[in-house]
Amino acid sequence: MNAPNAAPELFTWEFASDPYPAYAWLREHAPVHRTKLPSGVEAWLVTRYADARQALADSRLSKNPEHHAEDAQGKSKTGIPGERSANLMTHLLNIDPPDHTRLRRLVSKAFTPRRVAAFAPRVQELADDLIDRFAPRGEADLIHDFAFPLPIYAICDLLGVPREDQDDFRDWAGMMIRHGGGPRGGVARSVKKIRGYLAELIHRKRNDPGDDLISDLIRASDHGEHLTENEAAAMCFVLLFAGFETTINLIGNGVYALLGNPEQRARLQESIERGERELLDTGIEELLRYDGPVELATWRFATEPLTIGGQQIATGDPVLVVLAAADRDPARFHEPDTLDLSRRDNQHLGYGHGIHYCLGAPLARLEGTVAIETLLRRLPDLALAVDRADLRWRGGLIMRGLRTLPVEFAAH
């Protein structure tokens, strides 16, 4: 048991399974807390909602790792593994205005609400096809069999990756999210393979464009605005990376939360059976708040001395906004540790805030909504097949997600 003045131990396996008590302690006793991360990098953790919202929109906190006060070796310990060596740094998670403004505008043209809405039937088709594969078994690992392949195939379709190449993407993506669980250097090798493939695909689509995101990016850059080949490859890479891991975790964490809250799950299933949408829509937002897919916002670096929550931050210091802690702040949310699918006042920070608000949030919401609705409708007796204590959460700093989610149900 921690003494009242002793900070809880962070980033252990025990912490990963349930970080929320530790975050509650930090919010109360050390809301802006300097800690050494598993990589050895020291950073500030921002845990209160008001401070988090301010930090996410503060232009003095740069996304560019070059502002990190560390040497080149220290800089390499931030960001997506392998992106630096693969020359994939110039994407929206690593740049500031004016380059950020220019690139975001280009991607926004290709990532319109119309395109996302038109994609709904394909997401539904993917969800049904995947369930068809395991429904006769009466058991499945919802991460491996459903939550992982659905967004991979969806983002590949959206980018314009040919169907015959999509299983390669699935293999490379699987290596990326294993973090410490795969062979040494496997993440960097997968990132390089993705980089090489994207460069070739961009070249092909420049000569033979189609109705897809990569072709739209090329068209946008060819009509007066400038997008270099490196920028195009980096942009596609981050759309792939951010577009699948967040959705895997939204589906996995969301189903896990529902299985642990049977009354809420029953309300949602009854609502779905009646063909209603309202509780499903508010429910997805609540699942994003309650145990969202992104635990910490991506890296920020102070470009000048500043104060957050009364704490002085020095130039060059890394700052990590803890979205999971902010979204359980009792100063902002009524009974924040309670899952309430009908919660109305729910301005959670699950997809960030400010100019770096997640561009792919509408697509992730669509995929998460279709996935969870289809699972509950088609497998109404879905149940956890192992003890909750036996589940393991993936390592890694930014994302929060289960390694596996074994379930059982009546075979059909």
Side-chain angles (χ1 to χ4, degrees), residues 79-402:
I80 301 170
E83 65 178 358
R84 187 178 292 271
S85 61
N87 201 13
L88 287 169
M89 294 290 290
T90 50
H91 58 67
L92 292 174
L93 299 184
N94 287 339
I95 56 174
D96 304 314
D99 282 339
H100 176 270
T101 311
R102 175 178 63 88
L103 287 183
R104 190 174 176 106
R105 186 170 62 244
L106 282 171
V107 183
S108 297
K109 289 179 182 177
F111 221 92
T112 60
R114 179 192 61 79
R115 179 183 284 282
V116 171
F119 200 53
R122 175 59 181 151
V123 176
Q124 184 64 63
E125 181 187 359
L126 282 168
D128 282 320
D129 285 351
L130 290 166
I131 292 174
D132 286 345
R133 295 180 197 180
F134 61 74
R137 300 202 309 260
E139 61 177 16
D141 171 6
L142 274 191
I143 302 299
H144 180 268
D145 295 325
F146 187 70
F148 173 65
L150 190 149
I152 283 287
Y153 293 140
I155 197 70
C156 281
D157 277 354
L158 204 63
L159 287 171
V161 176
R163 298 277 167 92
E164 61 269 22
D165 295 344
Q166 292 186 5
D167 283 335
D168 286 338
F169 255 83
R170 179 177 172 162
D171 292 343
W172 298 332
M175 185 62 71
M176 285 173 63
I177 67 165
R178 263 177 242 158
H179 301 302
R184 186 174 175 80
V187 174
R189 282 197 299 274
S190 292
V191 171
K192 282 186 176 172
K193 285 177 181 174
I194 292 171
R195 170 70 175 90
Y197 179 85
L198 287 172
E200 182 188 329
L201 187 62
I202 289 165
H203 180 72
R204 291 206 318 255
K205 289 194 178 289
R206 196 175 288 280
N207 296 322
D208 184 20
D211 182 22
D212 55 69
L213 202 55
I214 291 179
S215 298
D216 282 358
L217 284 174
I218 291 167
R219 274 191 285 268
S221 61
D222 286 346
H223 288 125
E225 302 211 50
H226 187 53
L227 189 71
T228 68
E229 190 149 311
N230 262 354
E231 287 173 340
M235 191 61 60
C236 294
F237 169 71
V238 82
L239 288 172
L240 172 75
F241 181 80
F244 80 84
E245 193 164 8
T246 52
T247 308
I248 295 167
N249 297 344
L250 170 55
I251 298 168
N253 298 5
V255 172
Y256 180 65
L258 291 171
L259 293 176
N261 290 269
E263 288 183 11
Q264 292 290 309
R265 179 251 187 100
R267 282 181 63 205
L268 183 56
Q269 284 192 226
E270 289 162 12
S271 171
I272 289 169
E273 285 168 14
R274 291 193 298 267
E276 297 168 356
R277 290 281 317 177
E278 191 175 351
L279 191 62
L280 184 61
D281 290 339
T282 58
I284 289 295
E285 299 309 309
E286 176 68 346
L287 293 171
L288 283 162
R289 181 202 69 82
Y290 179 76
D291 197 8
V294 184
E295 190 165 344
L296 283 75
T298 48
W299 295 81
R300 284 164 167 78
F301 307 92
T303 58
E304 60 183 80
L306 69 148
T307 303
I308 303 175
Q311 178 65 57
Q312 297 289 316
I313 310 292
T315 302
D317 278 1
V319 174
L320 289 166
V321 177
V322 188
L323 306 178
D327 281 343
R328 295 273 191 115
D329 188 343
R332 175 60 186 84
F333 298 100
H334 177 65
E335 296 185 351
D337 296 322
T338 298
L339 182 72
D340 177 6
L341 298 180
S342 57
R343 190 183 295 270
R344 292 274 175 203
D345 181 17
N346 197 0
Q347 288 186 304
H348 62 77
L349 300 175
Y351 285 121
H353 172 65
I355 65 167
H356 290 282
Y357 182 83
C358 176
L359 196 63
L363 177 63
R365 281 188 171 97
L366 167 68
E367 292 173 346
T369 302
V370 169
I372 289 173
E373 186 274 338
T374 307
L375 277 173
L376 294 180
R377 176 170 46 78
R378 293 195 51 186
L379 307 174
D381 59 341
L382 190 71
L384 199 57
V386 296
D387 192 283
R388 294 174 78 86
D390 292 335
L391 293 172
R392 292 289 174 266
W393 297 77
R394 284 201 304 272
L397 190 65
I398 301 298
M399 301 292 185
R400 172 165 172 76
L402 287 159

Side-chain angles (χ1 to χ4, degrees), residues 8-60:
E9 195 174 358
L10 306 176
F11 310 118
T12 63
W13 286 111
E14 292 78 14
F15 168 84
S17 66
D18 183 10
Y20 295 103
Y23 289 150
W25 190 97
L26 289 176
R27 275 196 311 267
E28 185 174 354
H29 300 286
V32 183
H33 175 66
R34 190 172 175 89
T35 189
K36 181 174 279 193
L37 305 172
S39 64
V41 174
E42 292 198 2
W44 295 98
L45 301 181
V46 179
T47 55
R48 287 181 179 167
Y49 182 91
D51 296 336
R53 194 173 163 92
Q54 174 209 326
L56 290 171
D58 195 323
S59 61
R60 296 169 298 175

